[in-house]
PDB file of all heavy atoms in Angstrom:
ATOM      1  N   HIS A 172     -15.168 -21.278   5.350  1.00 98.00           N
ATOM      2  CA  HIS A 172     -16.350 -22.133   5.453  1.00 98.00           C
ATOM      3  C   HIS A 172     -17.558 -21.246   5.738  1.00 98.00           C
ATOM      4  O   HIS A 172     -17.430 -20.127   6.257  1.00 98.00           O
ATOM      5  CB  HIS A 172     -16.183 -23.190   6.549  1.00 98.00           C
ATOM      6  CG  HIS A 172     -16.070 -22.629   7.944  1.00 98.00           C
ATOM      7  ND1 HIS A 172     -14.873 -22.182   8.477  1.00 98.00           N
ATOM      8  CD2 HIS A 172     -17.004 -22.426   8.908  1.00 98.00           C
ATOM      9  CE1 HIS A 172     -15.061 -21.743   9.705  1.00 98.00           C
ATOM     10  NE2 HIS A 172     -16.351 -21.874   9.990  1.00 98.00           N
ATOM     11  N   TRP A 173     -18.709 -21.759   5.387  1.00 97.00           N
ATOM     12  CA  TRP A 173     -19.940 -20.993   5.545  1.00 97.00           C
ATOM     13  C   TRP A 173     -20.622 -21.310   6.866  1.00 97.00           C
ATOM     14  O   TRP A 173     -20.750 -22.470   7.246  1.00 97.00           O
ATOM     15  CB  TRP A 173     -20.899 -21.286   4.393  1.00 97.00           C
ATOM     16  CG  TRP A 173     -20.407 -20.801   3.063  1.00 97.00           C
ATOM     17  CD1 TRP A 173     -19.754 -21.531   2.126  1.00 97.00           C
ATOM     18  CD2 TRP A 173     -20.521 -19.473   2.549  1.00 97.00           C
ATOM     19  NE1 TRP A 173     -19.442 -20.754   1.048  1.00 97.00           N
ATOM     20  CE2 TRP A 173     -19.910 -19.482   1.269  1.00 97.00           C
ATOM     21  CE3 TRP A 173     -21.078 -18.285   3.019  1.00 97.00           C
ATOM     22  CZ2 TRP A 173     -19.848 -18.343   0.476  1.00 97.00           C
ATOM     23  CZ3 TRP A 173     -21.019 -17.154   2.233  1.00 97.00           C
ATOM     24  CH2 TRP A 173     -20.402 -17.181   0.969  1.00 97.00           C
ATOM     25  N   GLN A 174     -21.038 -20.274   7.548  1.00 97.00           N
ATOM     26  CA  GLN A 174     -21.924 -20.390   8.700  1.00 97.00           C
ATOM     27  C   GLN A 174     -23.200 -19.643   8.338  1.00 97.00           C
ATOM     28  O   GLN A 174     -23.307 -18.440   8.522  1.00 97.00           O
ATOM     29  CB  GLN A 174     -21.271 -19.816   9.956  1.00 97.00           C
ATOM     30  CG  GLN A 174     -20.086 -20.623  10.462  1.00 97.00           C
ATOM     31  CD  GLN A 174     -19.484 -20.065  11.737  1.00 97.00           C
ATOM     32  OE1 GLN A 174     -19.825 -18.969  12.184  1.00 97.00           O
ATOM     33  NE2 GLN A 174     -18.587 -20.815  12.352  1.00 97.00           N
ATOM     34  N   GLY A 175     -24.150 -20.384   7.759  1.00 96.00           N
ATOM     35  CA  GLY A 175     -25.336 -19.738   7.217  1.00 96.00           C
ATOM     36  C   GLY A 175     -24.954 -18.851   6.052  1.00 96.00           C
ATOM     37  O   GLY A 175     -24.313 -19.299   5.088  1.00 96.00           O
ATOM     38  N   SER A 176     -25.296 -17.575   6.131  1.00 97.00           N
ATOM     39  CA  SER A 176     -24.979 -16.634   5.051  1.00 97.00           C
ATOM     40  C   SER A 176     -23.680 -15.885   5.294  1.00 97.00           C
ATOM     41  O   SER A 176     -23.337 -14.971   4.532  1.00 97.00           O
ATOM     42  CB  SER A 176     -26.120 -15.620   4.905  1.00 97.00           C
ATOM     43  OG  SER A 176     -26.322 -14.902   6.110  1.00 97.00           O
ATOM     44  N   THR A 177     -22.936 -16.273   6.326  1.00 98.00           N
ATOM     45  CA  THR A 177     -21.675 -15.611   6.659  1.00 98.00           C
ATOM     46  C   THR A 177     -20.500 -16.503   6.283  1.00 98.00           C
ATOM     47  O   THR A 177     -20.481 -17.687   6.621  1.00 98.00           O
ATOM     48  CB  THR A 177     -21.605 -15.279   8.163  1.00 98.00           C
ATOM     49  OG1 THR A 177     -22.671 -14.380   8.503  1.00 98.00           O
ATOM     50  CG2 THR A 177     -20.276 -14.625   8.520  1.00 98.00           C
ATOM     51  N   LEU A 178     -19.529 -15.942   5.572  1.00 98.00           N
ATOM     52  CA  LEU A 178     -18.312 -16.661   5.230  1.00 98.00           C
ATOM     53  C   LEU A 178     -17.271 -16.390   6.309  1.00 98.00           C
ATOM     54  O   LEU A 178     -16.926 -15.239   6.583  1.00 98.00           O
ATOM     55  CB  LEU A 178     -17.773 -16.203   3.878  1.00 98.00           C
ATOM     56  CG  LEU A 178     -16.431 -16.817   3.450  1.00 98.00           C
ATOM     57  CD1 LEU A 178     -16.578 -18.322   3.210  1.00 98.00           C
ATOM     58  CD2 LEU A 178     -15.877 -16.114   2.215  1.00 98.00           C
ATOM     59  N   VAL A 179     -16.749 -17.447   6.915  1.00 98.00           N
ATOM     60  CA  VAL A 179     -15.703 -17.344   7.933  1.00 98.00           C
ATOM     61  C   VAL A 179     -14.386 -17.788   7.301  1.00 98.00           C
ATOM     62  O   VAL A 179     -14.300 -18.888   6.749  1.00 98.00           O
ATOM     63  CB  VAL A 179     -16.026 -18.209   9.162  1.00 98.00           C
ATOM     64  CG1 VAL A 179     -14.934 -18.051  10.224  1.00 98.00           C
ATOM     65  CG2 VAL A 179     -17.395 -17.840   9.732  1.00 98.00           C
ATOM     66  N   VAL A 180     -13.380 -16.945   7.371  1.00 98.00           N
ATOM     67  CA  VAL A 180     -12.088 -17.222   6.755  1.00 98.00           C
ATOM     68  C   VAL A 180     -11.001 -17.163   7.824  1.00 98.00           C
ATOM     69  O   VAL A 180     -10.909 -16.168   8.569  1.00 98.00           O
ATOM     70  CB  VAL A 180     -11.754 -16.211   5.645  1.00 98.00           C
ATOM     71  CG1 VAL A 180     -10.397 -16.530   5.009  1.00 98.00           C
ATOM     72  CG2 VAL A 180     -12.851 -16.214   4.584  1.00 98.00           C
ATOM     73  N   GLU A 181     -10.203 -18.214   7.908  1.00 98.00           N
ATOM     74  CA  GLU A 181      -9.058 -18.239   8.818  1.00 98.00           C
ATOM     75  C   GLU A 181      -7.774 -18.264   7.986  1.00 98.00           C
ATOM     76  O   GLU A 181      -7.619 -19.117   7.111  1.00 98.00           O
ATOM     77  CB  GLU A 181      -9.133 -19.449   9.743  1.00 98.00           C
ATOM     78  CG  GLU A 181     -10.320 -19.387  10.706  1.00 98.00           C
ATOM     79  CD  GLU A 181     -10.325 -20.530  11.700  1.00 98.00           C
ATOM     80  OE1 GLU A 181      -9.506 -21.455  11.542  1.00 98.00           O
ATOM     81  OE2 GLU A 181     -11.151 -20.500  12.636  1.00 98.00           O
ATOM     82  N   THR A 182      -6.891 -17.314   8.277  1.00 98.00           N
ATOM     83  CA  THR A 182      -5.664 -17.181   7.500  1.00 98.00           C
ATOM     84  C   THR A 182      -4.447 -17.340   8.408  1.00 98.00           C
ATOM     85  O   THR A 182      -4.355 -16.702   9.459  1.00 98.00           O
ATOM     86  CB  THR A 182      -5.595 -15.820   6.798  1.00 98.00           C
ATOM     87  OG1 THR A 182      -6.734 -15.675   5.938  1.00 98.00           O
ATOM     88  CG2 THR A 182      -4.335 -15.696   5.954  1.00 98.00           C
ATOM     89  N   THR A 183      -3.532 -18.197   7.990  1.00 98.00           N
ATOM     90  CA  THR A 183      -2.256 -18.397   8.668  1.00 98.00           C
ATOM     91  C   THR A 183      -1.139 -18.246   7.641  1.00 98.00           C
ATOM     92  O   THR A 183      -1.387 -17.891   6.485  1.00 98.00           O
ATOM     93  CB  THR A 183      -2.189 -19.793   9.319  1.00 98.00           C
ATOM     94  OG1 THR A 183      -2.354 -20.790   8.290  1.00 98.00           O
ATOM     95  CG2 THR A 183      -3.295 -19.965  10.365  1.00 98.00           C
ATOM     96  N   HIS A 184       0.084 -18.534   8.037  1.00 98.00           N
ATOM     97  CA  HIS A 184       1.240 -18.490   7.136  1.00 98.00           C
ATOM     98  C   HIS A 184       1.438 -17.103   6.517  1.00 98.00           C
ATOM     99  O   HIS A 184       1.824 -16.969   5.353  1.00 98.00           O
ATOM    100  CB  HIS A 184       1.117 -19.540   6.027  1.00 98.00           C
ATOM    101  CG  HIS A 184       1.205 -20.948   6.522  1.00 98.00           C
ATOM    102  ND1 HIS A 184       0.168 -21.574   7.189  1.00 98.00           N
ATOM    103  CD2 HIS A 184       2.206 -21.864   6.447  1.00 98.00           C
ATOM    104  CE1 HIS A 184       0.525 -22.805   7.501  1.00 98.00           C
ATOM    105  NE2 HIS A 184       1.750 -23.005   7.085  1.00 98.00           N
ATOM    106  N   LEU A 185       1.160 -16.074   7.312  1.00 98.00           N
ATOM    107  CA  LEU A 185       1.424 -14.714   6.854  1.00 98.00           C
ATOM    108  C   LEU A 185       2.856 -14.317   7.202  1.00 98.00           C
ATOM    109  O   LEU A 185       3.337 -14.590   8.306  1.00 98.00           O
ATOM    110  CB  LEU A 185       0.450 -13.726   7.497  1.00 98.00           C
ATOM    111  CG  LEU A 185      -0.981 -13.733   6.956  1.00 98.00           C
ATOM    112  CD1 LEU A 185      -1.893 -12.911   7.852  1.00 98.00           C
ATOM    113  CD2 LEU A 185      -1.020 -13.202   5.531  1.00 98.00           C
TER     114      LEU A 185
END
Side-chain angles (χ1 to χ4, degrees):
H172 65 276
W173 294 96
Q174 292 182 351
S176 59
T177 299
L178 176 66
V179 182
V180 180
E181 294 185 351
T182 301
T183 59
H184 293 75
L185 285 169

